[in-house]
Amino acid sequence: MNALAARRPRPATTVLLLILALVLGAAALVTFATRPASASSAASGDQIAQGKALFQASCASCHGINAQGTMTGSGTNVAGPALAGVGAAAVDFQVGTGRMPMAAPSIQAPRSKVQFSQEQIYAMAAYIASLAPGPAIPTAAQVDFAKGNAAVGGEIFRVNCAMCHNFAGSGGALTRGKYAPSLAGSTPTHIYEAMLTGPQSMPIFSDSDISVVGKRDVIAYLKAISKEPTQGGSRLGSLGPVSEGLFAWVFGLGLMVAAAVWLGKKAA
Amino acid sequence: MSTATTPAHQRPADALRDGDTAARPAPSTGARRLGGVAGWVDDRTGAAKGVTYLMKKVFPDHWSFMLGEVAMYSMIVCLLSGVFLTFWFVPSAGETIYHGSYAPLQGIQMSEAYRSTLDISFEVRGGLIIRQIHHWAALMFVVAVSAHMFRVFFTGAFRKPREINWVIGTILSLLAIVEGFAGYSLPDDLLSGTGLRAMEGFMQSTPVLGSYLAYMVFDGPFPGSAIIPRLYSVHVLLIPGILIALFTAHIVIVALQKHTQYPGPGKTEQNVVGFPVLPVYAAKAGGFFFIVFGIIALMSALVQINPIWGYGPYDPSPVTAGSQPDWYMGFADGALRITPGWLEFHPFGYTLSLNVALGALGLIPVMYTITGAYPFLERWVTGDTREHHLLDRPRNAPVRTGLGMAAMTAYGVFMFAAGNDIMAVLLHMSINDITHFFQVGLFVLPPLAFWVTKRICLSLQRRDRDMVLHARESGTIIRTAHGGYFERHDGIDEFERWPLVQHEAVAPLELPAGTDANGVASPTARSERLRARLSHFYFKDAVNPVTPAELAAAHPGPHEEEVPALEHDADHFVGIEQDHADGVGAPRH
Amino acid sequence: MTTGMSDHSADIAPADHPSHPAELARTAPTGQLPARFENPGLPTHIPRMADLDEKAARRAEKQVAALFGLSILGTLGFIASYYLVTEHGSVFVPGIGLMRAENLALGLCLAVSLLGIGLGAVHWAKTLMPDTEVVELRHPLRSSDEDRQALVTTLREEGRKSQLGRRPLLKYSMLGAMTLFPATLTWQLVGGLGRLPHNDLSTTEWNGRYLGGGKWQFVPKRLMRDPENTPIKASDVVIGSVFHVQPEGVLDMTEGKLEAKGKAAVLLMRLNPSDIRSTKELDWSHDGIVAYSKICTHVGCPVGLYEHQTHHLLCPCHQSTFDVTNDCHVIFGPANRPLPQLKITVDSEGYLISAQPFEEAVGPSFWERGS
């Protein structure tokens, strides 16, 4: 059975791979086109100055005029943490996913509309990176998930990520209203940066924890499962048995009862 | 054919004389063949009479009576699709490397059980649809069993003579959830393995014997390689065997006792009003099987269930957020989530883990014992030892309906507590707050549900009384000849009235005289006092049906003369005595 | 008003026949009016369209036939899809997105095949089969008093012939034999199902080398990344990171790997030493790097959710929350005991190793684990 199945041509797989390759190509193009030549190592003085100006206009109210961090009025809580050493990757992730600047103080910065152009984000990233060394924005090769091994990435994902983000990356609850967000729609670069910098409650997965290759594999796995067609129909949010049970009670029983009512009703 | 269509007496010579009995027309070929086969069987079984009786059996028609059929048919679909799955499933924890067509698992180490389930989903043509049918049918089975139980409870169908069937049904419901648990644990994916991991923890929490019990069931340390094949034989042989045996008894008893029916005109404790098995019910119930199967197939075509390839193979180190059991085990899981940790004690250097044992080991037996015992409890409290074949309208048993809603609410608190993490994410709330809410809710919500339900029932009963006494307010104001004004009430005819007045008047049991004057509290006296108290609890607020006398009092004769417009109604209401005279029952005066 | 009733009066037993004394008392007439209303009997039967109009009947017939025909089409479609739909091809479905075509096609065709028959049969029954309600009388379930007495008599009389009552020796020896015999099969089952735990639940691979007979010799083991199976240098562990760890050798095991992983799984985190509030925790750490069992002390799920800002560990199964700054004490949820800590140090090459086994049993509670 299996041997036969393995020899049979699989047009769908081919199509899938083709689509994947196309998407990859497009993504790579976009990344290359907008990436500054030297985001991490040798940012130009102009870029840093532009970034500093942007920072002071939009971020300094919480993070301090020199990114040294500030406390709230009562001095008991951190309004914005010090940013020296968080690295360009943290800036690109936080600002590039719209989490920063935060609209209002809350328990967790939600993903929202991006406020800056990618150029501006790179400038701010360069400024923060100039304060102290920190994780750099990953290179195109590091997030080139076409080279990754999705199966290995899946194993790493299940051990390190699934307990918070759920098996399908749909997200999950943390303590006291915090949550691990859904990973749907996250770009490879942002996924990489999140692992590298550990935003908010998320722990840091440095390159010595999950290797550069391992991170690429994780991205490859996430992209593979988000691109694959659903096998058995609507995923019901990939939330597991809770949504399945709800569906059985509401739609399953609903349809059965509707049929039973029709069956018991006298014909016209 | 020709013999049947040519009557013998057409020729004059064969004309019948007076007193001759007509020759029976020869049966058609079809009838002869049927008779031949039936005769062959009857010669060997003598079943003709019994089968004829069964074919003529009458079943009442109501949608809520089909809930049990949904359960039965879902079970049959499970059995059918389950047999299919056994042809491909390999119940083994043996290790293997995946080389199938699902790319994200290529080269991953996994058990034979998980690999074969992947193969059913990806390599076997149409295998996934069978798997999904099996799983959806299993969910629908337990959903329908529960809905059926609610129907039986709230209509009082469990009363004498049906207590045995209530108990059998309770056991069936318990078996159904155990069967479901065994089934979804078989694929050995990350989610089901986490469930088994917890199950092993439950067993370990058994006082004194815990670790021995767990090592016996798992044949050593968790997970071991024994649990998958053992669960398999439990899932495909042991429990289905008992399920089918008990279910057969359940159905035979229904046939023997005849189905209950809702109260209505012409329906009494002594009859069943409905349709015969042949042809109507055979077509309806037979067709309904296909409808139930068809709906399950439709769900399986469009909605994915248990995507085991997404969870990955079981490994005790990883886990997924939102690790929940299937819905019917949710109440036990939820109970564990809201039990506080201080319930673990450490007496004399031993560990007594009541924080686990209460929810995991205690809840199910307690819940099912209470459920199974309820008919006997109610019978003792009400002192009603008669047979009941007419169902109660839920409003006419306010305390029972209230108790049922309270029990359902408690169950709901447990069940929804198992989804606290999903709610926290979807509703943007704190999981801690949600958990505290359920902890408090377990004690607050059921009594509240009881009180609210009972009040609703009582007001519905009062509305029924109102309807009978004053009928519907029409909103039409009529001026009488004498210059008075009144609102015209549209009358209801006796067919509409009957369901509102058919139930019995009830009153609390009186304490047997002298029991409390004794001074010495004998055990009997104490139990009688308890019984009287409970009876008081059941019936003290009873709203009893309108009696003819009350109706007559509400529409006194003079009213009729005063209001000519009411003549039609008055005929109805005041003319009861006359109705009685031509009524069905023996005239009583 | 009562015409319907007259049609059926022959079939219907008197309504509310007062067969019980209690009911008789309740229904006793008071004054001129009866105590209760009378059952008015079945309402008049209203014929259906198909009963009155042959055209409507023929229309219903056609509808039923169409449904049966649809079912046939569904069956043919199922067989056609079985061969024609490509094995892993996909199709876009509004509301679902891209989905596997095979499942959709086979499932929908099967549903049509089944629903066609079901809806057709029910529609047939509703429109064309007789819809006059039939009344069947109930008969009391209980046997007559004579029959019941006869049963009792038979049981007693015939039972007496066994002489069981007269011969106590027979009675008690039989009872003894019958009570004891299930022990045979139970013994086999209980004895054969599993082995005894001994100290299995209290030991893990961190105990070192297994000497047999439940004895271990402690050997320090490197902490290895799961699933990469590589050793970890202390300098690799930055503040805010979390490593999922197995002892050296476990991930290479060919037998008993999952069992070993299930007990030995460890979480490795680094805290600022000044944030650690427990002296024992600090003592057992290496420069703020702490290792704790990943197996929940509630029912054994992996406690994996580490919030690096609050240093809280959350179990996804039942939400027990452990405070890593305070020796992993429970701060929320149904667990009672803190997660056991693994004492660690570094070897000469700078890799993290275990300094001693877990001091207590990891994972869910059991009676004899000690307090």
Side-chain angles (χ1 to χ4, degrees), chain B residues 58 121 125 211 215 224 230 259 266 270 272 274 315 317 333 337 341 344 351 355 495 502 580 584, chain C residues 1 5 36 38-39 82 85 100 102 134 136 138 193 200 259 261 294 317-318 334 336 365 367-368 370:
Chain B
V58 169
S121 309
R125 201 92 167 104
S211 55
Y215 266 60
R230 284 181 184 178
H259 209 285
Q270 281 79 29
V272 195
D315 180 325
S317 175
D333 193 52
R337 291 178 189 224
E344 180 170 288
T351 303
N355 57 339
F495 295 104
Q502 50 77 32
H580 272 292
V584 191
Chain C
M1 208 58 16
M5 188 183 56
R36 303 193 56 191
E38 284 292 339
N39 190 331
Y82 188 89
V85 176
R100 186 150 123 207
E102 181 204 278
V134 176
E136 191 185 1
R138 287 182 195 276
L193 271 181
D200 243 26
E259 292 76 11
K261 281 181 93 172
K294 189 181 174 181
C317 288
H318 304 102
N336 175 276
S365 301
W367 177 255
E368 67 274 21

Side-chain angles (χ1 to χ4, degrees), chain C residues 28-42:
Chain C
T30 50
Q32 284 303 300
L33 293 168
R36 303 193 56 191
F37 284 98
E38 284 292 339
N39 190 331
L42 280 179

Side-chain angles (χ1 to χ4, degrees), chain B residues 33-386:
Chain B
R33 274 204 200 121
L34 188 62
V37 175
W40 191 92
V41 176
D42 189 59
D43 284 347
R44 283 151 187 86
T45 59
K49 200 177 158 194
V51 171
T52 313
Y53 171 75
L54 281 179
M55 292 296 101
K56 286 184 169 174
K57 251 185 117 44
V58 169
F59 280 95
D61 227 0
H62 192 269
W63 69 267
S64 70
F65 296 162
M66 304 307 280
L67 293 170
E69 283 196 35
V70 175
M72 167 167 84
Y73 294 147
S74 302
M75 188 183 79
I76 293 172
V77 173
C78 272
L79 290 171
L80 195 67
S81 52
V83 171
F84 275 58
L85 293 178
T86 59
F87 296 146
W88 299 290
F89 179 68
V90 183
S92 156
E95 302 249 308
T96 181
I97 306 285
Y98 183 69
H99 294 297
S101 60
Y102 186 64
L105 288 172
Q106 268 312 327
I108 299 288
Q109 194 174 353
M110 56 184 63
S111 66
E112 288 280 359
Y114 185 67
R115 201 233 351 117
S116 59
T117 316
L118 286 175
D119 286 353
I120 291 173
S121 309
F122 291 104
E123 321 300 337
V124 178
R125 201 92 167 104
L128 181 61
I129 193 76
I130 301 289
R131 241 199 83 218
Q132 300 211 124
I133 285 174
H134 191 65
H135 206 137
W136 277 124
L139 290 201
M140 287 316 301
F141 177 40
V142 197
V143 167
V145 164
S146 313
H148 174 59
M149 256 177 117
F150 298 153
R151 197 280 293 170
V152 169
F153 182 86
F154 288 116
T155 58
F158 55 78
R159 291 172 297 170
K160 187 183 172 184
R162 294 181 177 76
E163 303 99 323
I164 301 176
N165 240 10
W166 172 259
V167 172
I168 292 179
T170 309
I171 300 171
L172 278 171
S173 145
L174 177 60
L175 285 174
I177 66 172
V178 176
E179 173 73 346
F181 177 82
Y184 75 68
S185 296
L186 285 176
D188 201 25
D189 57 290
L190 185 57
L191 185 66
S192 72
T194 305
L196 281 176
R197 167 75 260 200
M199 181 57 71
E200 201 263 358
F202 303 164
M203 289 178 186
Q204 280 193 23
S205 76
T206 313
V208 187
L209 291 176
S211 55
Y212 295 89
L213 192 65
Y215 266 60
M216 196 173 90
V217 171
F218 286 82
D219 190 18
F222 176 83
S225 53
I227 191 67
I228 298 287
R230 284 181 184 178
L231 275 179
Y232 184 68
S233 79
V234 167
H235 180 72
V236 305
L237 180 70
L238 187 62
I239 298 184
I242 308 174
L243 261 179
I244 293 170
L246 283 179
F247 155 76
T248 310
H250 201 67
I251 292 295
V252 167
I253 291 177
V254 169
L256 204 68
Q257 295 178 335
K258 300 194 171 80
H259 209 285
T260 51
Q261 57 191 352
Y262 282 98
K267 296 172 181 179
T268 72
E269 291 282 10
Q270 281 79 29
N271 69 11
V272 195
V273 181
F275 298 102
V277 168
L278 216 62
V280 180
Y281 243 88
K284 279 192 173 182
F288 196 57
F289 166 73
F290 286 92
I291 293 178
V292 168
F293 197 173
I295 292 174
I296 291 171
L298 196 64
M299 290 163 76
S300 310
L302 297 173
V303 187
Q304 180 167 288
I305 186 164
N306 196 22
I308 49 122
W309 52 88
Y311 294 119
Y314 182 62
D315 180 325
S317 175
V319 66
T320 170
S323 282
Q324 265 98 2
D326 273 7
W327 78 262
Y328 43 82
M329 279 291 175
F331 73 98
D333 193 52
L336 283 171
R337 291 178 189 224
I338 60 176
T339 312
W342 53 260
L343 280 168
E344 180 170 288
F345 305 103
H346 302 277
F348 312 111
Y350 293 102
T351 303
L352 179 61
S353 207
L354 290 184
N355 57 339
V356 180
L358 281 185
L361 306 175
L363 180 64
I364 290 182
V366 167
M367 201 177 89
Y368 277 89
T369 309
I370 293 176
T371 310
Y374 183 80
F376 306 97
L377 204 73
E378 188 186 290
R379 205 182 127 172
W380 179 68
V381 171
T382 59
D384 184 355
T385 54
R386 293 165 302 158

Side-chain angles (χ1 to χ4, degrees), chain A residues 8 12 159-160 163-164 174-175 178 198 200-204 208-209 229-233 262 265-268, chain C residues 46 49 87-89 96 98-100 103 122 126 131 225 236 239-244 304-309:
Chain A
R8 241 179 269 153
V159 175
N160 291 283
M163 69 286 226
C164 298
L174 301 175
T175 65
K178 286 166 283 184
Q200 316 208 25
S201 292
M202 179 167 163
I204 296 160
S208 62
D209 190 345
T230 163
Q231 305 292 340
W262 170 70
K265 218 171 146 230
K266 189 179 160 72
Chain C
I46 301 161
M49 265 171 12
E87 194 176 8
H88 291 292
I96 296 177
L98 210 57
M99 82 169 275
R100 186 150 123 207
N103 194 68
V122 173
K126 282 179 55 158
D131 85 326
R225 291 181 183 85
D236 293 343
I239 288 182
S241 67
V242 60
F243 286 65
H244 298 261
L305 287 72
Y306 175 56
E307 298 176 9
H308 89 280
Q309 288 176 330

